[in-house]
Amino acid sequence: MKVGIWVLWFAVLVVVNKFVLDNEWAELVFTGVSAGLCSWASSYVDRRGAAAGETA
């Protein structure tokens, strides 16, 4: 599941940075914010799995 989150994040990041944003600073801010959100989602999935007794 965690791999899917990172693959989806990478795809969204490429599309937004290539086709939506033109300003380099906006791309940097979007990349930083989205990386933070992706890291949070990944750790959330990891904690949820640990609470359910799943192992990696």
Side-chain angles (χ1 to χ4, degrees), residues 3-5 7 10 19 21-24 26-27 31-32 34-35 37 43 47-49 52-53 56:
V3 173
I5 291 171
V7 169
F10 184 72
F19 300 111
L21 299 176
D22 291 329
N23 187 344
E24 289 180 12
E27 290 177 6
T31 300
S34 66
L37 288 172
S43 66
R47 285 191 311 262
R48 204 174 92 208

Side-chain angles (χ1 to χ4, degrees), residues 29-55:
V29 169
F30 178 76
T31 300
V33 169
S34 66
L37 288 172
C38 187
S39 295
W40 173 83
S42 181
S43 66
Y44 176 77
V45 167
D46 193 35
R47 285 191 311 262
R48 204 174 92 208
E54 296 176 7
T55 58

